[in-house]
């Protein structure tokens, strides 16, 4: 019986990894959204979610929005835990943290900030290249492409006041939890390539499900005719 259970778990693993990857790429998701996205039955998705909850890879969250249409309780969102993110590009976090601690002790905050700025130099180095290669993309979409190429699973959402850059994954989130200079350098790099102020709203490093940065529209000056009318 134990052998049969182990065989079933091994058989389920590729699909379970698809579930985890879908949450990583798209952010906290409902069971229904995962079923539709992965072309699985609701029962199959819930079986995988139950196992992922049990082993600590994901956690269930209540939706933030109070607005809910229809009857019954709003569907829960399933998000990756820190343990769940450990399987994606974070094997060397302990070494990175130790290195930055040493840098902080020997060179101070200025040295850590200099390292952080160099770490995110790829944003400015890659922005113009990607923009020239994909002229149909908006500046925010260019940024999303740049970050995705670096493993951040980034996308863009429209806002009433502009756009929002969303990063479903952050390869340095564990390190940035102790050294926020990394998040600050990233935000500054985004601001420089866009030539405008941006506002960081949430970060994975501080417990949010996704890193979000608001990119407001550039205000336009009204003409005399528009003002008078």
């Amino acid at each position: 019986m134990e052998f049969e259970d182990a065989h079933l778990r091994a058989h389920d693993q590729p699909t379970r990894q698809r579930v985890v990857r879908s949450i990583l790429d798209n952010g906290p998701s409902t069971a229904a959204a995962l079923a539709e996205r992965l072309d699985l039955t609701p029962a199959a998705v819930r079986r995988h979610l139950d196992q992922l909850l049990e082993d600590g890879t994901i956690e269930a969250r209540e939706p933030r929005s109070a607005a809910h249409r229809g009857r019954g309780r709003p569907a829960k969102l399933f998000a990756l835990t820190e343990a769940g993110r450990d399987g994606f590009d974070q094997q060397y976090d302990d070494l990175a943290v130790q290195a930055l601690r040493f840098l902080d002790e020997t060179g101070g905050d200025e040295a850590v900030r200099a390292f952080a700025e160099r770490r995110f130099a790829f944003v400015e180095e890659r922005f113009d290249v990607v923009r020239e290669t994909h002229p149909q993309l908006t500046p925010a979409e260019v940024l999303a492409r740049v970050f995705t190429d670096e493993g951040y699973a980034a996308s863009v959402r429209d806002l009433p006041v502009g756009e929002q850059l969303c990063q479903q994954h952050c390869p340095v989130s564990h390190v940035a939890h102790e050294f926020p200079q990394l998040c600050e350098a990233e935000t500054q790099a985004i601001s420089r390539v866009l030539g405008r102020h941006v506002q960081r709203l949430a970060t994975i490093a501080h417990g949010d499900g996704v890193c979000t940065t608001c990119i407001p529209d550039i205000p336009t000056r009204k003409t005399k005719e528009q003002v008078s009318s």
Side-chain angles (χ1 to χ4, degrees), residues 75-92:
K76 289 185 177 181
L77 294 171
F78 296 93
L80 290 183
T81 61
E82 287 193 11
R85 292 182 184 278
D86 281 341
F88 296 95
D89 308 324
Q90 294 175 337
Q91 304 96 313
Y92 303 107

Side-chain angles (χ1 to χ4, degrees), residues 9-228:
R9 287 195 295 271
H11 178 74
D12 285 343
Q13 197 61 27
T15 302
R16 198 160 294 149
Q17 290 173 351
R18 289 176 60 214
V19 173
V20 174
R21 185 73 206 190
S22 183
I23 296 174
L24 173 70
D25 290 341
N26 298 279
S29 306
T30 64
L34 286 165
E36 181 178 357
R37 197 182 296 146
L38 300 174
D39 195 23
L40 296 171
T41 65
V45 167
R46 291 196 176 278
R47 177 162 60 85
H48 291 299
L49 290 174
D50 287 342
Q51 182 60 46
L52 292 168
L53 285 167
E54 183 178 338
D55 64 24
T57 301
I58 64 172
E59 62 184 3
R61 298 178 178 177
E62 296 293 339
R64 288 186 176 182
S65 175
H68 174 59
R69 298 178 180 177
R71 298 179 180 178
R73 293 174 58 84
K76 289 185 177 181
L77 294 171
F78 296 93
L80 290 183
T81 61
E82 287 193 11
R85 292 182 184 278
D86 281 341
F88 296 95
D89 308 324
Q90 294 175 337
Q91 304 96 313
Y92 303 107
D93 282 349
D94 289 343
L95 178 61
V97 168
Q98 291 175 24
L100 280 175
R101 285 174 181 168
F102 177 79
L103 189 62
D104 189 31
E105 292 170 2
T106 56
D109 180 69
E110 184 177 346
V112 175
R113 291 187 181 280
F115 171 83
E117 290 178 5
R118 177 174 294 185
R119 167 67 181 82
F120 289 99
F122 73 87
V123 177
E124 294 170 272
E125 291 170 356
R126 293 281 301 150
F127 185 81
D128 287 338
V129 175
V130 174
R131 183 169 57 179
E132 291 175 4
T133 307
H134 303 279
Q136 76 281 7
L137 299 180
T138 68
E141 290 170 340
V142 171
L143 269 175
R145 180 70 63 91
V146 170
F147 276 104
T148 295
D149 289 345
E150 291 290 325
Y152 286 76
S155 60
V156 177
R157 298 176 184 172
D158 290 329
L159 294 176
V161 296
E163 294 174 298
Q164 186 176 80
L165 178 67
C166 304
Q167 296 154 274
Q168 308 294 351
H169 179 52
C170 176
V172 298
S173 61
H174 285 51
V175 183
H177 179 73
E178 182 170 340
F179 294 95
Q181 295 95 326
L182 289 165
C183 294
E184 294 167 7
E186 178 184 320
T187 305
Q188 291 166 2
I190 293 172
S191 179
R192 283 195 298 270
V193 297
L194 295 178
R196 73 185 85 165
H197 172 75
V198 299
Q199 181 67 47
R200 180 58 61 91
L201 304 178
T203 62
I204 294 172
H206 290 87
D208 298 295
V210 59
C211 294
T212 57
T213 305
C214 177
I215 304 173
D217 289 330
I218 299 176
T220 57
R221 295 182 179 180
K222 294 184 178 180
T223 64
K224 294 182 179 180
E225 293 77 7
Q226 289 174 320
V227 173
S228 61

